Amino acid sequence: MVRISILGYGKVGRQLARAFHEAGDIELVQVYNRTAVKESASGTMKFVSDLADLSEADIYIISVSDKAVAELASQLPFHDKLVVHTAGSLAQEALGVRNRNGVFYPLQTFSHRRAVDFNGLPVFVGAQHADDLELLKKATTALHARTFEVDDKQRKALHVAAVFACNFSNHLYKIADETCRESNIPFDVLHPLILETAQKIMVMEPAKAQTGPAVRHDEATIGAHLEFLSDPVKKELYQLITRSIQHA
Amino acid sequence: MVRISILGYGKVGRQLARAFHEAGDIELVQVYNRTAVKESASGTMKFVSDLADLSEADIYIISVSDKAVAELASQLPFHDKLVVHTAGSLAQEALGVRNRNGVFYPLQTFSHRRAVDFNGLPVFVGAQHADDLELLKKATTALHARTFEVDDKQRKALHVAAVFACNFSNHLYKIADETCRESNIPFDVLHPLILETAQKIMVMEPAKAQTGPAVRHDEATIGAHLEFLSDPVKKELYQLITRSIQHA
């Protein structure tokens, strides 16, 4: 049984707390949040809003905004415990030296009101000590997640890749949504296309899956699309991504 | 029974030919391709490579590159038949006046060696005559596709939206792939994230699904990512999409 406490009940902390609460071989000891949590859905979870109330645990997982990690870590009322953060681009050392440092970075997009499935999800872990790494692996195993050991630099590369593949793709979906609405077309007609585009690269390299006017060098269609787009930022995006596809 | 012939055996024509060949209530009369098709998988399909060999059909579907549509349409050895094209951004009138014009635009990304599922897929149709529209709807119904009537301007909007949602997203997947490889990380660790990003917008507007450093205005992470990216085009893309997210 691994005892875990979650510090920070935001988008990531909420999903981790729920997942660990439901997982076998894990005791979710406490969930700390700076402000009191009033949530009927929290059920039997134990919430605290004063760091002084934190009990003994094997792993303390800090899931607050990147810039708040160092301060929270420095305020912990204990030392020589395993304390990890969940951030993609933050060095492990940001956690300071009062406790044993580590990282527990689940590679997923977290939104309120959408349960994340940790089954098969890659979780990137790091720790200073072999025993701590084992503890983190027990935690990922309890979630049925896939575990990878990476260093800070690889984790940052992963985060950059995730920003392109997820955050930026989602913004392109938003532009597509707006483009449909402006022509009185329901956005859901694009759902099969969006899903197929995502599924295709599970079996085919993205470079080989590329379709469309840019890769075909279909300058007539590209010109018609640029003429169609009245918003200058969307036009600039269209031009830059087209150029990037053509010079890849 | 609707008799259909496909003119052009490229990425789109190949999938349409297969789907109509397998569909009930449809007779796939012939598949024309400028060069002879040698394909064992074609099975019982009838291929011709001379327009003079085309037999009688109810719908002739031209699926060649946009710039070749007008010329092929002008060379057809018959008149007053229903001839449609499958292009997103080409006016219906590009088909000329010798035959009755129409459009049959399936909204999907087509690659060789990946079968497209037409079940539930939106197909955008247009025709000059009500009878022709009915014929096209019989064809989409036989594929179990969803049928929408749109004009040229709406179809162009759809194509622009599809370029952003599919072609451009795929290019971002490619950048993510390269970023992973350069750090010795297998790209497949991003698969769950990419799939979740696509699935999330089936139940949530893209505007509400947006996550990541840009929408959080996390300038420290954005700065770290820009420093990480050495390729000038990727850096420019990161900056422009971030700006677009922040000013949305």
Side-chain angles (χ1 to χ4, degrees):
Chain A
M1 187 70 81
V2 180
R3 298 169 302 169
I4 295 179
S5 284
I6 305 287
L7 313 185
Y9 198 63
K11 286 178 180 173
V12 177
R14 184 178 299 238
Q15 300 286 340
L16 283 176
R18 182 192 51 74
F20 282 126
H21 194 47
E22 292 169 0
D25 302 323
I26 299 288
E27 182 193 346
L28 181 69
V29 181
Q30 289 168 317
V31 177
Y32 161 83
N33 199 57
R34 199 168 38 133
T35 55
V37 173
K38 39 175 180 182
E39 185 167 352
S40 56
S42 61
T44 54
M45 286 188 207
K46 289 174 199 140
F47 288 92
V48 296
S49 56
D50 186 337
L51 291 172
D53 294 333
L54 284 176
S55 314
E56 180 86 11
D58 299 309
I59 312 175
Y60 296 86
I61 301 181
I62 294 184
S63 52
V64 297
S65 67
D66 286 21
K67 62 176 183 288
V69 167
E71 195 187 340
L72 178 55
S74 74
Q75 292 169 341
L76 295 176
F78 46 73
H79 57 88
D80 201 32
K81 303 284 184 189
L82 175 56
V83 176
V84 302
H85 72 63
T86 59
S89 293
L90 197 65
Q92 198 171 304
E93 286 66 38
L95 291 162
V97 294
R98 298 179 59 224
N99 286 286
R100 284 141 38 216
N101 293 337
V103 173
F104 188 95
Y105 173 50
L107 191 63
Q108 191 48 287
T109 167
F110 293 88
S111 293
H112 288 309
R113 289 190 298 280
R114 183 159 169 88
V116 160
D117 183 6
F118 285 88
N119 196 344
L121 194 74
V123 176
F124 297 88
V125 298
Q128 296 167 301
H129 305 285
D131 289 356
D132 290 340
L133 214 47
E134 281 313 303
L135 268 176
L136 294 175
K137 285 182 185 171
K138 279 184 188 165
T140 57
T141 301
L143 299 180
H144 305 289
R146 294 167 69 195
T147 319
F148 296 86
E149 277 181 64
V150 290
D151 60 28
D152 279 0
K153 187 145 184 277
Q154 284 178 306
R155 188 159 37 82
K156 189 180 286 181
L158 274 165
H159 196 198
V160 169
V163 166
F164 275 98
C166 163
N167 306 151
F168 288 178
S169 285
N170 184 75
H171 184 61
L172 300 184
Y173 300 160
K174 176 170 176 281
I175 291 174
D177 184 3
E178 289 167 353
T179 306
C180 284
R181 279 170 202 258
E182 285 162 11
S183 291
N184 296 314
I185 297 161
F187 176 58
D188 70 2
V189 300
L190 285 175
H191 286 181
L193 175 66
I194 286 171
L195 208 54
E196 167 69 7
T197 305
Q199 285 171 336
K200 205 197 270 192
I201 55 92
M202 315 277 143
V203 294
M204 199 184 277
E205 278 177 42
K208 291 192 175 135
Q210 190 65 54
T211 58
V215 75
R216 285 200 303 270
H217 290 264
D218 177 350
E219 301 302 333
T221 299
I222 292 167
H225 287 182
L226 288 173
E227 199 180 328
F228 176 89
L229 290 165
S230 54
D231 180 279
V233 175
K234 288 176 188 169
K235 207 188 274 271
E236 198 181 343
L237 273 172
Y238 191 105
Q239 283 171 311
L240 183 58
I241 302 176
T242 293
R243 207 168 72 220
S244 182
I245 291 172
Q246 293 186 338
H247 291 85
Chain B
M1 189 68 82
V2 180
R3 299 168 302 169
I4 295 178
S5 283
I6 305 288
L7 315 185
Y9 199 63
K11 286 178 180 173
V12 176
R14 185 180 298 239
Q15 300 285 341
L16 283 176
R18 182 192 51 75
F20 282 126
H21 194 47
E22 292 169 0
D25 303 322
I26 298 288
E27 182 193 344
L28 181 68
V29 182
Q30 289 168 318
V31 177
Y32 162 83
N33 199 56
R34 196 167 39 130
T35 55
V37 173
K38 38 177 180 183
E39 185 165 353
S40 56
S42 61
T44 53
M45 286 188 208
K46 289 174 198 139
F47 287 92
V48 296
S49 55
D50 187 336
L51 291 172
D53 294 333
L54 284 176
S55 314
E56 179 86 12
D58 300 309
I59 311 175
Y60 296 86
I61 301 181
I62 294 185
S63 53
V64 297
S65 66
D66 286 20
K67 62 176 183 288
V69 167
E71 195 187 341
L72 178 54
S74 74
Q75 292 170 341
L76 294 177
F78 47 72
H79 58 89
D80 200 31
K81 302 284 184 190
L82 176 56
V83 176
V84 301
H85 72 63
T86 59
S89 293
L90 197 65
Q92 200 170 304
E93 286 66 40
L95 291 161
V97 294
R98 297 181 57 225
N99 286 286
R100 283 142 37 216
N101 292 338
V103 173
F104 188 96
Y105 173 51
L107 191 63
Q108 191 48 288
T109 167
F110 293 87
S111 293
H112 289 309
R113 288 189 298 281
R114 182 159 170 89
V116 160
D117 182 6
F118 284 88
N119 196 345
L121 194 74
V123 176
F124 298 88
V125 298
Q128 294 166 303
H129 304 286
D131 288 355
D132 290 342
L133 214 46
E134 282 313 303
L135 268 176
L136 294 175
K137 284 181 185 173
K138 279 184 188 165
T140 57
T141 302
L143 299 180
H144 305 289
R146 295 167 69 195
T147 319
F148 295 86
E149 277 182 62
V150 289
D151 59 27
D152 279 1
K153 187 144 185 277
Q154 284 178 306
R155 187 158 39 82
K156 190 180 283 179
L158 274 165
H159 196 198
V160 170
V163 165
F164 276 96
C166 163
N167 306 152
F168 288 177
S169 285
N170 184 76
H171 185 60
L172 300 184
Y173 300 160
K174 175 170 178 280
I175 291 174
D177 184 5
E178 288 167 355
T179 306
C180 284
R181 280 169 201 259
E182 285 161 12
S183 290
N184 296 313
I185 297 161
F187 176 58
D188 70 2
V189 301
L190 286 175
H191 287 181
L193 175 67
I194 285 171
L195 207 54
E196 168 69 5
T197 305
Q199 284 171 336
K200 206 197 269 192
I201 56 93
M202 315 278 143
V203 295
M204 199 184 279
E205 278 176 41
K208 292 192 175 135
Q210 189 65 54
T211 59
V215 75
R216 285 201 303 271
H217 290 265
D218 178 350
E219 301 303 331
T221 299
I222 292 167
H225 288 182
L226 288 173
E227 199 181 327
F228 175 89
L229 289 165
S230 54
D231 180 280
V233 175
K234 288 177 188 169
K235 207 187 276 269
E236 198 181 343
L237 271 172
Y238 191 105
Q239 283 172 312
L240 183 59
I241 303 177
T242 293
R243 208 169 71 220
S244 181
I245 290 172
Q246 295 186 337
H247 291 84

